[in-house]
Amino acid sequence: MKVYKDQFEQVAKKEGVYHDFLLYMYNTYIETLVLRSIDFRVETAETRYLKLLTIQPDEVRSIPLQYVASYLGISKERLSRIRKKHSELI
């Protein structure tokens, strides 16, 4: 079953709990986007990779290289070099 945003917002207007939940989700999403944007500006690709590896090691190891590279904003070749440099962590 799918719940569309406008349907959820209509229910949220009627029920305060859903409104609070929706507001929390929006705030969390915006905070995540802002932090990610800051990371892209101030951290190197290598630092972002190591941070991601620390936070979500199982996902980094199981997701195909091209998708991890895309998430980090680098080429898969560059990610491969970074991974080789830190092979003891993998």
Side-chain angles (χ1 to χ4, degrees):
M1 180 175 140
K2 291 184 180 181
V3 178
Y4 295 96
K5 180 183 173 210
D6 36 332
Q7 293 172 327
F8 188 81
E9 287 175 343
Q10 287 175 354
V11 172
K13 286 180 185 177
K14 296 177 187 174
E15 301 291 331
V17 174
Y18 294 115
H19 179 268
D20 294 344
F21 173 72
L22 186 61
L23 190 59
Y24 171 78
M25 292 302 295
Y26 284 149
N27 287 336
T28 302
Y29 181 67
I30 290 169
E31 182 180 346
T32 301
L33 288 177
V34 168
L35 292 174
R36 187 171 150 102
S37 176
I38 291 169
D39 283 351
F40 267 87
R41 288 189 173 95
V42 299
E43 294 180 344
T44 65
E46 186 172 348
T47 304
R48 291 194 309 270
Y49 171 73
L50 294 173
K51 187 177 185 180
L52 182 62
L53 188 60
T54 302
I55 296 168
Q56 297 181 313
D58 295 335
E59 289 81 357
V60 171
R61 290 180 183 104
S62 63
I63 296 173
L65 193 67
Q66 66 194 40
Y67 299 122
V68 175
S70 176
Y71 179 79
L72 295 171
I74 59 176
S75 68
K76 62 182 181 178
E77 293 80 14
R78 175 110 185 263
L79 178 56
S80 184
R81 287 191 296 272
I82 292 170
R83 286 173 55 138
K84 184 177 181 182
K85 182 177 175 183
H86 297 282
S87 60
E88 74 282 355
L89 299 175
I90 299 175

